[in-house]
Amino acid sequence: MAGTRPIDARGWTFEVEDATAQTPKWIPIAGLTQWSHSPGENEETAETTAFDSAGYYEQDVMQRGASLELEGQYRIDKTTKAQDPGQLYIDTVWAYRFGYDSRGRVRWRHDTQSKWAIWEATCTPGEQSGGNNDKTSWSVSFVRCGPATVSAVTP
């Protein structure tokens, strides 16, 4: 289509909500080099094929799910040596919550968008690794719990 252009993958921003803050506080996650959104993750269907389906397969979707995976580099502040606040929150706070408390919120958007996509989700920190000439890796996986919501971007 004339006039349309693809968007840059680096234009996406990902943030987690600090559930320990007195007022809502979103923390950006720095150092990301790759992300993957799987809108069909955890989908479940029920087959509805019957004799009157005339030989054609039929199904109904019974459950929708989604996942989000973020990968990048383990980041620290050059002066304080403190880990990036977004990564630190995931690694030391969210990762150690269980049961009902294991859910938190994550949001993301592209810099061309005027709304955040927001999920209530669980998170699973990923492996950290590196080789002789590598930077240390960092990653996390989120699994959506319930429907996604949206919120306007405010300055």
Side-chain angles (χ1 to χ4, degrees):
M1 188 159 137
T4 63
R5 298 283 303 148
I7 59 175
D8 296 335
R10 69 180 63 180
W12 290 90
T13 300
F14 300 87
E15 298 180 347
V16 289
E17 185 179 36
D18 183 349
T20 66
Q22 296 296 322
T23 58
K25 176 183 175 187
W26 291 94
I27 309 168
I29 304 168
L32 299 177
T33 58
Q34 186 172 328
W35 65 274
S36 175
H37 172 224
S38 179
E41 187 79 16
N42 297 317
E43 182 176 281
E44 295 288 338
T45 62
E47 182 179 346
T48 58
T49 308
F51 292 156
D52 57 354
S53 297
Y56 290 97
Y57 178 82
E58 295 183 27
Q59 72 175 22
D60 290 340
V61 175
M62 302 305 290
Q63 171 181 297
R64 297 270 187 203
S67 66
L68 176 67
E69 295 189 23
L70 307 178
E71 296 178 21
Q73 299 164 340
Y74 187 100
R75 289 287 174 103
I76 63 167
D77 181 280
K78 291 188 320 184
T79 305
T80 67
K81 308 299 186 235
Q83 185 181 8
D84 166 72
Q87 292 181 5
L88 181 67
Y89 180 81
I90 290 167
D91 289 349
T92 63
V93 178
W94 197 346
Y96 291 97
R97 295 181 353 209
F98 300 94
Y100 177 80
D101 292 332
S102 67
R103 293 187 185 189
R105 293 198 313 163
V106 60
R107 72 179 184 178
W108 73 95
R109 73 176 185 91
H110 192 267
D111 58 20
T112 61
Q113 298 174 330
S114 61
K115 294 187 180 196
W116 290 99
I118 302 173
W119 286 2
E120 182 178 11
T122 59
C123 85
T124 303
E127 293 181 11
Q128 294 173 1
S129 65
N132 193 42
N133 293 315
D134 297 336
K135 296 293 185 180
T136 301
S137 66
W138 182 90
S139 63
V140 63
S141 298
F142 298 98
V143 174
R144 190 182 75 205
C145 300
T149 60
V150 296
S151 176
V153 173
T154 55

